[in-house]
Amino acid sequence: MIDINADSHFVTAAVVAAELYKAREIANDISLTASNARALALRAGQGAAGFRAITDFIDQLAETTVRTSDTINLKAVTISRLATISVRHERTIVSFSKAATISKDSAYVDSIQAPLEKMKTEHAQLNRQFYREVSSLSELLENLAREIKTASVLSAMSRVEASQSGRKFEEGLNVVADNVSNAAERIQTHVMLSQSLCRELAEEY
């Protein structure tokens, strides 16, 4: 029988959800930054036309992060739920196993053994589902990590476009580029921690 450390996994999944909630909040800030940048680029006129296009990509990055964070949060909740159910199964199986051992010479031992085997089968199925959810969570985190890496490219492009907008708007647009870069670094920190926790879940399994 595969043993899931349910108490530990419940906490780990909760921490992953908390980390991605923080990433989601930062992504909302990026979205606000993109809106402000778009307004500033419009005021800058033709000189910041390229920057206006970049703000669409910044917005898309924020939306992707928010959407993926919400999905990951649901996955983490599912993993927590499966871990809780697993520990209940585990305790019931232990109790039935003790009862079967004590009653091994009894005429009624089959009335314990049959449901015990059924519970073991269900427990194994539950653990396989747990593993699938953890694998799915890991894949989502990997995809999000790749998306966030594009922020450094966007930030560099933003600085190039800011330099062509004229002195009056260059400083403001560079601030936008810095905000995107800093926000992406913070999100990446939360994602990397979540990936590390997810690997722990898989290894312990």
Side-chain angles (χ1 to χ4, degrees):
M1 180 175 58
I2 302 169
D3 181 25
I4 287 179
N5 186 346
D7 292 335
S8 171
H9 291 349
F10 181 89
V11 172
T12 301
V15 173
V16 170
E19 289 300 313
L20 267 296
Y21 177 79
K22 293 172 188 174
R24 188 187 193 283
E25 291 299 293
I26 298 169
N28 283 329
D29 290 341
I30 292 178
S31 185
L32 180 60
T33 295
S35 297
N36 293 338
R38 191 174 287 108
L40 185 60
L42 284 171
R43 292 211 312 274
Q46 190 59 35
F51 201 100
R52 287 199 298 275
I54 291 172
T55 59
D56 291 336
F57 289 106
I58 295 172
D59 245 346
Q60 184 179 348
L61 174 65
E63 287 176 11
T64 299
T65 304
V66 169
R67 185 171 61 251
T68 306
S69 296
D70 287 342
T71 302
I72 289 172
N73 187 277
L74 290 174
K75 286 286 180 188
V77 169
T78 299
I79 289 169
S80 293
R81 181 179 58 81
L82 290 173
T84 302
I85 296 171
S86 176
V87 78
R88 290 176 186 159
H89 279 206
E90 192 78 35
R91 288 168 182 166
T92 303
I93 289 170
V94 168
S95 297
F96 268 67
S97 295
K98 286 180 180 177
T101 300
I102 293 170
S103 310
K104 62 181 180 180
D105 297 323
S106 169
Y108 304 101
V109 67
D110 287 345
S111 66
I112 298 174
Q113 200 63 43
L116 176 59
E117 292 305 317
K118 184 174 182 291
M119 279 186 285
K120 286 182 178 180
T121 299
E122 290 174 351
H123 189 65
Q125 291 173 344
L126 179 71
N127 289 350
R128 284 193 291 271
Q129 184 183 353
F130 177 89
Y131 178 74
R132 286 195 298 270
E133 293 293 342
V134 170
S135 296
S136 177
L137 176 61
S138 178
E139 185 177 343
L140 285 167
L141 286 167
E142 184 64 32
N143 290 340
L144 181 56
R146 282 197 296 269
E147 288 287 341
I148 295 303
K149 284 180 182 177
T150 64
S152 60
V153 178
L154 290 174
S155 182
M157 291 171 60
S158 296
R159 289 189 179 92
V160 171
E161 293 298 333
S163 68
Q164 299 175 15
S165 64
R167 185 171 297 177
K168 181 179 179 182
F169 297 100
E170 182 176 358
E171 183 179 352
L173 293 175
N174 272 327
V175 168
V176 170
D178 289 341
N179 287 346
V180 171
S181 179
N182 292 337
E185 286 179 10
R186 289 162 60 204
I187 290 174
Q188 189 76 345
T189 298
H190 295 303
V191 172
M192 287 176 66
L193 176 56
S194 296
Q195 286 179 302
S196 176
L197 292 168
C198 193
R199 282 193 292 272
E200 286 180 18
L201 286 173
E203 287 168 4
E204 288 176 18
Y205 178 88

